[in-house]
């Protein structure tokens, strides 16, 4: 496998924010996830839950609810605005003040023609969805008390609204409240506290199911307004409800972090009438409040205060065990937040609100493999750069010499010149940036730090020439396909000749930077690339996709390499394909051109192209076995994939020019420690 | 048993009544439970033993109500038969011979005439595989019917009761084993299997322990080893099935039971708490805590008014209307083991041995009932495994039953041994034992034997210990105090050898202590070492003085297969024989001695008189394993058997524990006949609750009434005449459901009415004679029972 000196970096205090809202678009199989900091993430559930797009947040924006109308995404928040998102440019398209105070919920009818929002002032406002915008239509009868939750009847003629201590049913054509369902308060001391109906669903058979702050899930008859059944599921709050598409199952999320499923089951097996809602399974995958829930065709998706997105597959929907039937937790973003200056030994950490520049520690000790070396110089935080404005940082870059630093928010791009003498560091903002450079989805410096590439709208790339005195716009590289999707990956070659970009349409374009023109398009593969890199010597482009497939494409010959063909022909090992986190980084070892270095959250892998590929029968994770074998036996057991699981919760792996590895770890326990305390629960024998 | 047909080894009392789920009859008046080789019938209201259903020749493994006749029960047994009983009259109606040992029985109303049995798989005789088979019970007039047509329903099932259950209206049967639930639908003839992962990695133990089906809805409740209860629904689909989980128990769920209406689910486990789940509102549950011991079975009466819980300490609790314990049926407690010898309490004639942890139990052998528990350790017992707790290891009564000595010890690994000797005085007022003296650390090491001197003049206790000493304890008289206390009087030893056993002669004038190979004989009056006897090799394991005419003999059993008999007058060895005696027991009422020998994995019994060379009785291969505990219990009534072989059983009965803690005894034919006769006599009208009081008084009154009637109405007497004939008796007294057809009876009946004038007188005389003899018997019974009352005062306390 080779020996490396490893910098085990644990000083990146990455802290994801809590999940607040969730909306699943069954048609496009995209899940929109709203976080507390106002950022929206789009996951492609058809492509191994890949985090396709991230719309950065903004200080003033909050998201209380998300809602899809066709392919359009709307959100509403406590700032009183409804926002529609531009998913191609990863920015809000427009925001509309609803004039009803803070908005608690937004939901569209099944026809996709109207949006209903529930406001603090007790109004339910209907908005008509127009081609390019939305327009206020009317208010339903104004109520006393805020509207917390809303649910349209599938026919679109009635709306159930969860309020304080009650549920109202509105008739949409007339706007009148037709039912008033009183919700009991909790027991004991909580009797004096109002019950908040956090969530409500209206089923097509006019059954209303509600979840409230007294811990009850209640089933109501919407025709008569009578209570059918009460399930007390928790001592704390029931926060989220979601119904399956065929309305045979409802999942609820509670403050205790449990997700409880209710199923619509007939009491006897033969006659299928008289079905009732029966509490069945309980899933406990969260430690904190489950604030957002979605029951999709084959799985229950939940998220909450503990910041992780959990996809719990419903095993009865699967015929055999596969990667899709395994529990999946998405804790880390599927993109880079760590940038490494390979020559200078600097690390740049990207936070939504600031950038941090660190210098790695140094050590001159020697030791056996597995030893920890004494540090001569401790790692040092050189710079703490706060962003300007309200918008959060969406991308950043550090040149490999450590002389340039750039970041972009939704509204602006900033470029800095860094000068480091031994202990002094000075930073100066590059004043006049070209006007065309307003925002970027991705930023990237060329390896000789003479150019800055900025991914712009419609998959185009702006090329900016950098020099000591000025920076100058050079050219815009445009793809031929005319794709409107944003670029999410960008990499350039060491010799400065090639630039490869990947966009959400799974297209990979290779540009010749010297000639400033499109060189070729890599054949489009059905899964989104999650990491790619250009080999420093052979100029082969290595791509790893969200479905864990690996391709190697020769830029010069404009075709897949023999190794790649062989790999595809033989197929990857099942254990490789069943891993549940995407590879987020590809680098190469300049000393050993046969080696490709990859990592995902749970492992670090060196692919040695000179060794035979493993077939399905070979032991895939064979490092322990190899260690026990003698020198003579070892070669017969070697295969190309060398996997190391010593390092866990990896955010980044990069190889410095002095042949030392930088492993940036962020232990999940450290994230959990920073979360607020969960609700108190009685634990047995405590 | 073949060689001595007249002496039979029987389970007499002390059988496990918690072995299988009991049955509560439809009218909730009786509780039936499998007890050893018979089925016991108890009254639910008075907790009194009513009678038993005897007939099986091996362990009864299941009792169920006949679904088509609620006055009958089926019982199955390891002897390979299913028997149908009329339990009110204890009449065996039919015997179905299956031919395989049966482990459980299940019936359903839907499947009339069919019983479902768990039998070993035919082709896997050696391995432990069982199958569930359906047996169609043939209609036939015969008493014994062969039913050998078995049709397999489920393969590889668990033999435990409670591991299978019929679903709603008998449409399916659910069975659990290991990590798998299997549901078999009879209509479709199709079974569905649902497996769980072992869950060991996550600290869960998902193995199934029990199953119960909802009677009205299609819901199956299963209990699991980690204390979870899962409620399965939609189980007619391979993948779309679903279950919810309830969790309260921290130990394994031993048993589950739905109430007949299905509104509640009852569960029990080691926590000894009956948990009461409300169906569909599972977060609401009620508890009935402090039931004493782990719950092993739960049964509910068909009307749902009574619950019964069986407990691991051989107890059945009857619970009324979910909340109130109304009756406790307590059998012989067999805890983790018996450390004390079996002792007979001289006052109550009860068997005394370890009961609940830290207690001694007093168990009446004649009535097969626990009289009471005496708490010895007086410390709280913590229900947790792996703790070192105090245990009563030794107990002894003095000759009159005025004093009880107990030894308790706590063994800790590596730490010091804690021993306490306690002496208890019998208090006439409270009719129980009161602690008199506590001696902490009476010896420095384990106490091996402890006996009171049988002499009537002095009350002396002798203890021998592994520390090399034996101590004599005397009741010190203090004139100023009301009560004396016990103090050590003498410490004796012999060449620093470790004493292993001791024995007093019958009159208390001699004490013999076995110091390894050497037997020393002491005079307790002067503490003078009188003589030493030795017969190496082999340390002395057991010592026993002869009684009555054989009191000059001292018997010793050594570890090296030697049984020696010394003559104390000549101080020489009288005889010795090579025998590996594991236990030597003397009958206090006769010269007889019983020696249990272990040989090649089984035990043999020899009963002999020390003075006679020939054993009175010998029984090879009594039972498997070593017999560790045995006792001669005096009889209430002497038997007058002249048979040479059975004479030794005339005065007392020999009880012993096998390795598997079964209490066995020997019974003779005459005794059994007598028992049978008395049980017939006790047959009672079932309209009144059966209590002993009723037996005494109710019957008496009935007889009186009858007699008055007969006196006042001579006409009636004449009309009664024909009743004396056998045919009419048969017709009137046989239960209707076992009678042959009316047409068959008719001829016999009519013929019986045709009385010839000459025989009329004679039959009248016969009846009168019968009646008077009946009277005699009744009186005898009354006397007999009152005697009992006097001799067992504790019963009423």
């Amino acid at each position: 496998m080779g020996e490396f000196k490893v910098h085990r970096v644990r000083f990146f205090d990455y802290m994801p924010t809590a999940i607040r809202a969730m909306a699943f678009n069954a048609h496009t199989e995209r899940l929109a996830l709203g976080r507390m900091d106002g950022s929206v993430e789009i996951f492609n559930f058809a492509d191994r839950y890949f985090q396709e797009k991230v719309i950065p947040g903004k200080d003033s924006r909050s998201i209380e609810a998300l809602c899809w109308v066709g392919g359009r995404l709307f959100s509403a928040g406590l700032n009183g605005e409804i926002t529609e998102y531009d998913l191609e440019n990863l920015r809000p398209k427009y925001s509309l003040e609803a004039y009803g105070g803070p908005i608690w919920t937004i939901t569209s009818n099944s026809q996709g023609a109207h949006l209903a929002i529930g406001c603090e002032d007790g109004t339910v406002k209907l908005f008509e969805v127009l081609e390019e915008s939305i327009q206020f239509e009317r208010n339903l009868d104004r109520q006393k008390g805020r509207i917390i939750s809303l649910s349209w009847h599938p026919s679109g003629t009635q709306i159930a609204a969860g309020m304080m201590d009650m549920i109202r049913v509105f008739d949409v054509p007339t706007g009148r409240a037709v039912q008033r369902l009183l919700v009991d308060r909790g027991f004991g001391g909580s009797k004096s506290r109002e019950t908040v109906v956090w969530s409500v669903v209206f089923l097509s058979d006019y059954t209303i199911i509600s979840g409230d702050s007294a811990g009850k899930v209640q089933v109501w008859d919407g025709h008569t307004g009578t209570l059918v059944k009460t399930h007390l599921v928790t001592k704390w709050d029931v926060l989220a409800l979601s119904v399956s598409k065929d309305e045979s199952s409802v999942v609820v999320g509670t403050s205790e972090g449990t997700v409880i499923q209710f199923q619509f089951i007939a009491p006897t097996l033969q006659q299928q009438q008289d079905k009732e809602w029966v509490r069945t399974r309980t899933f406990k995958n969260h430690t904190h409040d489950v604030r957002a829930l979605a029951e999709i065709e084959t799985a229950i998706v939940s998220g909450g205060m503990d910041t992780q997105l959990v996809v719990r597959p419903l095993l009865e929907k699967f015929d055999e065990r596969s990667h899709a039937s395994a529990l999946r937790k998405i804790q880390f973003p599927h993109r880079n937040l760590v940038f490494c200056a390979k020559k200078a030994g600097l690390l740049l950490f990207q936070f939504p609100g600031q950038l941090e520049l660190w210098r790695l520690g140094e050590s001159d000790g020697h030791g056996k493999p597995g030893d920890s070396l004494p540090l001569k110089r401790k790692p040092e935080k050189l710079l703490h750069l706060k962003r300007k404005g309200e918008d959060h940082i969406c991308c950043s870059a550090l040149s490999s010499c450590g002389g340039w630093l750039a970041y972009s928010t939704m509204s602006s791009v900033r470029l800095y010149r860094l000068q480091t003498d031994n202990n002094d560091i000075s930073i100066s903002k590059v004043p006049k940036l070209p006007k065309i450079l307003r925002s970027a989805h991705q930023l990237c410096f060329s390896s000789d730090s003479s150019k800055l590439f900025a991914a712009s709208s419609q998959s185009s790339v702006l090329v900016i020439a950098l020099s000591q005195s000025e920076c100058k716009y050079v050219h815009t590289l445009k793809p031929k396909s005319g794709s409107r999707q944003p670029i999410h990956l960008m990499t350039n070659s060491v010799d400065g000749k090639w630039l490869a970009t990947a966009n959400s349409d799974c297209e990979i374009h290779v540009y010749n930077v010297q000639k400033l023109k499109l060189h070729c398009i890599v054949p489009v593969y059905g899964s989104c690339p999650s990491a790619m890199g250009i080999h420093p010597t052979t100029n082969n482009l290595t791509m790893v996709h969200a479905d864990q497939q690996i391709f190697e494409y020769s830029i010069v010959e404009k075709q897949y390499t023999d190794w790649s063909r062989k790999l595809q022909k033989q197929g990857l090992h099942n254990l490789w394909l069943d891993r549940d986190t995407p590879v987020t980084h590809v680098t190469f070892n300049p000393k050993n051109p046969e080696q490709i270095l990859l990592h995902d959250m749970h492992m670090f892998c060196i692919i040695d192209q000179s060794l035979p590929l493993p077939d399905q029968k070979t032991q895939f994770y064979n490092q322990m076995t190899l260690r026990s074998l003698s020198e003579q036996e070892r070669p017969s057991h070697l295969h190309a994939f060398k996997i190391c699981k010593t390092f866990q919760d990896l955010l980044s792996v990069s190889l410095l020019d002095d042949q030392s590895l930088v492993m940036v770890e962020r232990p999940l326990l450290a994230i959990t420690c920073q979360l607020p305390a969960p609700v108190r629960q009685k634990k047995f024998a405590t | 048993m073949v060689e001595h047909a007249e002496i039979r080894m029987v389970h007499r009392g002390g059988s496990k009544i918690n072995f299988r789920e009991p049955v509560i009859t439809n009218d909730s008046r009786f509780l039936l439970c499998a007890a050893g080789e018979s089925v016991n019938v108890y009254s639910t209201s008075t907790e009194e033993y009513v009678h038993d259903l005897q007939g099986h020749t091996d362990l009864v493994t299941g009792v169920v109500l006949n679904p088509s006749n609620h006055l009958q029960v089926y019982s199955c047994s390891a002897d390979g038969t299913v028997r149908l009983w009329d339990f009110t009259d204890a009449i065996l109606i039919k015997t179905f011979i299956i031919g395989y040992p049966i482990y459980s029985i299940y019936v359903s109303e839907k499947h009339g005439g069919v019983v479902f049995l768990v039998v070993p798989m035919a082709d896997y005789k050696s391995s432990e595989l069982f199958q569930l088979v359906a047996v169609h019970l043939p209609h036939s007039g015969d008493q014994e019917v062969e039913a050998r047509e078995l049709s397999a329903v489920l393969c590889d099932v668990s033999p435990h009761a409670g591991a299978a259950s019929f679903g709603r209206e008998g449409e399916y049967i659910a069975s659990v084993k290991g990590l798998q639930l299997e549901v078999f639908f009879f209509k479709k003839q199709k079974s569905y299997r649902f497996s769980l992962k072992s869950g060991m990695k996550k600290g869960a133990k998902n193995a199934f322990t029990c199953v119960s089906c909802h009677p009205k809805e299609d819901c199956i409740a299963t209990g699991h080893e980690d204390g979870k209860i899962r409620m399965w629904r939609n189980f007619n689909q391979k993948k779309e099935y679903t279950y919810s989980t309830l969790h309260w128990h921290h130990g394994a769920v031993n048993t589950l039971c739905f109430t007949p209406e299905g509104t509640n689910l009852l569960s029990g486990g080691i926590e000894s708490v009956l948990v009461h789940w409300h169906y569909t509102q599972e977060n609401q549950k009620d508890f009935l805590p402090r039931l004493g011991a782990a719950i092993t079975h739960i049964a509910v009466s068909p009307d749902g008014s009574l619950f019964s819980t069986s407990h691991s300490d051989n107890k059945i609790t009857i619970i009324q209307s979910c909340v109130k314990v109304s009756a406790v049926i307590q059998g012989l407690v067999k805890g983790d083991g018996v450390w004390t010898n079996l002792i007979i309490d001289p006052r109550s004639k009860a068997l005394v041995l370890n009961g609940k942890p830290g207690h001694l139990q007093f168990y009446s052998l004649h009535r097969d009932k626990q009289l009471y528990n005496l708490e010895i350790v007086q410390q709280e017992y913590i229900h947790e495994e792996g703790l070192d707790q105090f245990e009563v290891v030794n107990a002894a009564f003095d000759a009159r039953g005025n004093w009880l000595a107990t030894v308790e010890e706590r063994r800790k690994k590596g730490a010091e041994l804690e021993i306490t000797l306690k002496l208890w005085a019998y208090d006439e007022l409270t009719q129980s034992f009161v602690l008199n003296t506590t001696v902490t650390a009476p010896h420095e090491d384990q106490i091996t034997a402890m006996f009171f001197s049988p002499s009537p003049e002095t009350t002396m206790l002798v203890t021998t210990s592994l520390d090399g000493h034996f101590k004599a304890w005397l009741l010190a008289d203090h004139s100023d105090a009301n009560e004396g206390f016990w103090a050590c009087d003498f410490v004796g030893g012999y060449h620093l050898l470790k004493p292993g056993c001791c024995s007093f002669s019958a009159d208390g004038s001699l004490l013999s202590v076995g110091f390894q190979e050497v037997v020393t004989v002491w005079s307790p009056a002067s503490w003078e070492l009188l003589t030493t006897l030795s017969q190496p090799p082999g340390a002395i394991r057991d010592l026993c003085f002869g009684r009555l005419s054989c009191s000059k003999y001292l018997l010793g059993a050594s570890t090296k297969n030697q049984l020696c008999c010394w003559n104390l007058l000549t101080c020489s060895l009288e005889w010795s024989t090579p025998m590996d005696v594991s236990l030597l027991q003397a009958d206090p009422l006769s010269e007889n001695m019983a020696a249990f020998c272990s040989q090649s994995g089984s035990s043999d019994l020899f009963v002999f008189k020390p003075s006679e060379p020939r054993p009175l009785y010998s029984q090879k291969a009594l039972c498997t394993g070593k017999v560790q505990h045995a006792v001669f219990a005096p009889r209430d009534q002497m038997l007058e058997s002249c048979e040479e072989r059975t004479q030794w059983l005339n005065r007392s009965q020999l009880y012993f524990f096998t390795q598997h803690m079964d209490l066995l005894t020997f019974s003779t034919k005459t005794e059994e006949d007598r028992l049978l006769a008395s049980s017939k006599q006790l047959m009672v009208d079932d309209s009144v609750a059966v209590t002993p009081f009723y037996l005494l008084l109710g019957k008496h009154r009935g007889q009186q009434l009858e007699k008055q009637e007969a006196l006042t109405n001579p006409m009636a007497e004449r009309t009664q005449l024909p009743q004396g004939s056998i045919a009419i008796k048969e017709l009137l007294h046989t239960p209707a459901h076992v009678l042959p057809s009316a047409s068959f009876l008719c001829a016999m009946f009519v013929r019986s009415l045709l009385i010839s004038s000459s025989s009329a007188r004679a039959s009248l005389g016969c009846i009168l004679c019968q009646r008077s003899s009946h009277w005699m018997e009744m009186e005898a019974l009354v006397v007999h029972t009152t005697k009992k009352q006097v001799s067992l005062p504790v019963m009423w306390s």
Side-chain angles (χ1 to χ4, degrees), chain A residues 232 263 267 269 280 316 318, chain B residues 168 218 233 239 242 244 283:
Chain A
L232 188 67
Q263 281 176 291
L269 293 172
T280 55
E316 68 266 23
F318 293 95
Chain B
R168 182 179 60 90
D218 286 322
R233 292 185 178 85
K239 298 189 79 65
T242 179
S244 52
N283 46 10

Side-chain angles (χ1 to χ4, degrees), chain A residues 127-164:
Chain A
F127 285 80
E128 197 183 351
V129 181
L130 301 175
E131 201 63 41
E132 277 302 311
S133 65
I134 54 171
Q135 194 175 35
F136 175 72
E137 195 176 275
R138 63 198 160 96
N139 280 334
L140 303 185
D141 276 2
R142 183 166 173 178
Q143 304 297 318
K144 276 181 196 162
R146 59 180 74 118
I147 309 279
I148 301 290
S149 52
L150 282 175
S151 177
W152 288 82
H153 185 261
S155 70
T157 53
Q158 290 197 332
I159 293 184
M163 300 174 60
M164 309 302 284

Side-chain angles (χ1 to χ4, degrees), chain B residues 206-317:
Chain B
N206 281 338
F208 288 94
T209 53
C210 51
V211 64
S212 178
C213 295
H214 195 281
K216 298 280 160 72
E217 292 180 11
D218 286 322
C219 174
I220 298 175
T222 59
H224 298 264
E225 249 170 38
D226 56 355
K228 283 183 182 142
I229 297 171
R230 287 188 167 86
M231 311 280 274
W232 300 74
R233 292 185 178 85
N234 267 2
F235 41 80
N236 60 348
Q237 275 139 352
K238 233 181 161 54
K239 298 189 79 65
E240 300 273 307
Y241 69 89
T242 179
Y243 60 76
S244 52
T245 310
L246 316 174
H247 201 166
W248 180 85
H249 294 277
H250 70 75
V253 182
N254 281 340
T255 176
L256 279 173
C257 187
F258 274 107
T259 54
E261 288 302 312
T263 49
N264 289 311
L265 174 68
L266 307 172
S267 70
I270 192 162
E271 303 85 1
S272 25
V273 178
L274 181 69
V275 188
H276 213 222
W277 307 85
H278 296 251
Y279 184 67
T280 69
Q281 285 192 321
E282 279 87 1
N283 46 10
Q284 286 178 29
K285 46 191 177 284
D286 299 328
F287 303 102
L288 185 64
R290 293 182 285 281
L291 290 175
I295 297 173
T296 55
H297 303 286
I298 300 174
V300 184
S301 68
D303 60 357
S305 62
L306 286 185
F307 304 155
S308 86
T309 54
S310 306
H311 298 268
S312 59
D313 63 348
N314 210 10
K315 174 175 83 175
I316 297 177
T317 308

Side-chain angles (χ1 to χ4, degrees), chain A residues 190-222:
Chain A
S190 53
K191 194 113 193 159
S192 55
R193 251 185 290 143
E194 279 183 310
T195 301
V196 187
V197 181
W198 283 118
S199 189
V200 65
V201 291
F202 208 151
L203 305 182
S204 52
D205 62 351
Y206 286 91
T207 300
I208 297 169
I209 300 177
S210 67
D212 57 47
S213 63
K216 302 190 296 284
V217 174
Q218 291 184 311
V219 183
W220 309 82
D221 184 337

